[in-house]
Amino acid sequence: MYNLQGIISKGTNNALLQFEKFGQIANNLANFQTTGYKNVTFEQVLREDGYLTGSVRTDYQQGSIRITSNPYDVAIDGAGYIPVVSPSGEVQYTRDGAFVQGKNGFLTTRDGWLVGEGIQIPTNCFKFEIKKNGDVMAYDSRGAKAKKVGTIPLIRFDNPAGMESADMNRLKPTDDAGEARLVKDHDCFRQNNLEASNVSIYRSANDLLRLNASMLASMQMMKLADSMYNKAINIREA
């Protein structure tokens, strides 16, 4: 009786972890086309007592850089994040450089967070340019001298794995991530480009199929153990 109860207990625990891993894989597939999204894995470990445990890990490897036709798009070619500020003043970080010109001409995320300390692009300028070091230059007319209107900051952390995920593909700083360091004299920004997610759709689909087969086997084992347990109870009552 004890052994059957143990099998059912372990099977329930392991099935719950498999469902959690299933959710992580499904979330990766759903974000396959999300700019700058990082693949998340759920690594399972079998303990000595037969129970599964696991931990969530994020793959911070850079995704491919893709050319776009939008001058507001900017990719980071290398390590680091762009700080963005909410209307209430909260600072978070992102590699999703699909920016827009928001209220009063300020460069913002798609949901209205300011890029850096606030970069105001003149609404009537002829064109603007985002240089590789983050300087934003505006031109009043063709052939006019460029005017610097701001700089997109590049921030790096000693341990980016310590950051917490937030809404809209942003990250929150934590003590585990270490101090935010401003990077100077770099050439990491690419205007008219976006960083693709680093999710491998083929690997994720393969993991999903293998996990599905494993979950079906686990359910069958639990069903068998439950049937044997019920029969044992009936024998005792008889």
Side-chain angles (χ1 to χ4, degrees):
M1 294 287 291
Y2 174 79
N3 289 337
L4 286 175
Q5 288 177 335
I7 291 173
I8 294 174
S9 176
K10 292 174 183 176
T12 301
N13 172 78
N14 297 349
L16 289 173
L17 282 174
Q18 287 180 319
F19 274 115
E20 187 172 348
K21 183 174 182 179
F22 189 94
Q24 293 289 356
I25 297 173
N27 187 59
N28 288 335
L29 287 170
N31 285 282
F32 172 66
Q33 293 184 317
T34 299
T35 303
Y37 177 81
K38 301 305 177 188
N39 187 67
V40 177
T41 59
F42 187 82
E43 299 180 2
Q44 295 177 339
V45 178
L46 182 64
R47 301 189 325 209
E48 293 182 358
D49 58 4
Y51 284 88
L52 280 176
T53 185
S55 60
V56 176
R57 299 184 184 277
T58 302
D59 178 9
Y60 287 96
Q61 183 178 351
Q62 180 175 308
S64 60
I65 303 296
R66 299 180 180 177
I67 298 174
T68 72
S69 58
N70 189 343
Y72 293 98
D73 290 341
V74 57
I76 304 173
D77 189 3
Y81 300 88
I82 297 172
V84 291
V85 184
S86 74
S88 63
E90 181 182 3
V91 180
Q92 294 182 4
Y93 299 86
T94 187
R95 288 183 66 90
D96 184 351
F99 300 137
V100 298
Q101 189 174 22
K103 186 178 180 181
N104 297 324
F106 282 97
L107 193 64
T108 72
T109 63
R110 284 168 291 183
D111 57 341
W113 288 47
L114 280 177
V115 175
E117 297 179 350
I119 301 169
Q120 191 174 28
I121 300 173
T123 55
N124 60 345
C125 69
F126 173 69
K127 71 172 185 177
F128 70 95
E129 178 184 6
I130 300 174
K131 294 187 173 295
K132 291 183 178 181
N133 67 352
D135 288 345
V136 182
M137 315 297 291
Y139 297 82
D140 291 335
S141 61
R142 185 186 299 274
K145 186 177 180 180
K147 297 178 181 178
K148 182 178 175 181
V149 295
T151 301
I152 300 176
L154 180 65
I155 303 295
R156 288 176 181 163
F157 294 88
D158 292 331
N159 179 33
M163 301 179 77
E164 293 182 356
S165 297
D167 295 334
M168 297 298 291
N169 206 18
R170 293 189 295 265
L171 295 170
K172 294 181 179 179
T174 67
D175 292 338
D176 291 337
E179 185 179 356
R181 295 180 289 105
L182 177 65
V183 182
K184 299 180 180 179
D185 301 323
H186 66 86
D187 61 350
C188 294
F189 289 125
R190 303 289 183 267
Q191 188 181 16
N192 293 299
N193 286 268
L194 287 176
E195 179 189 1
S197 75
N198 65 356
V199 175
S200 169
I201 192 169
Y202 303 105
R203 186 184 301 117
S204 296
N206 181 58
D207 290 344
L208 200 63
L209 292 173
R210 293 176 62 185
L211 182 60
N212 183 61
S214 176
M215 291 173 65
L216 289 174
S218 296
M219 294 299 105
Q220 288 295 329
M221 184 185 71
M222 290 180 62
K223 185 176 180 181
L224 177 61
D226 183 62
S227 176
M228 294 173 63
Y229 182 73
N230 288 330
K231 288 179 180 179
I233 292 176
N234 292 334
I235 290 174
R236 289 187 61 182
E237 291 179 347

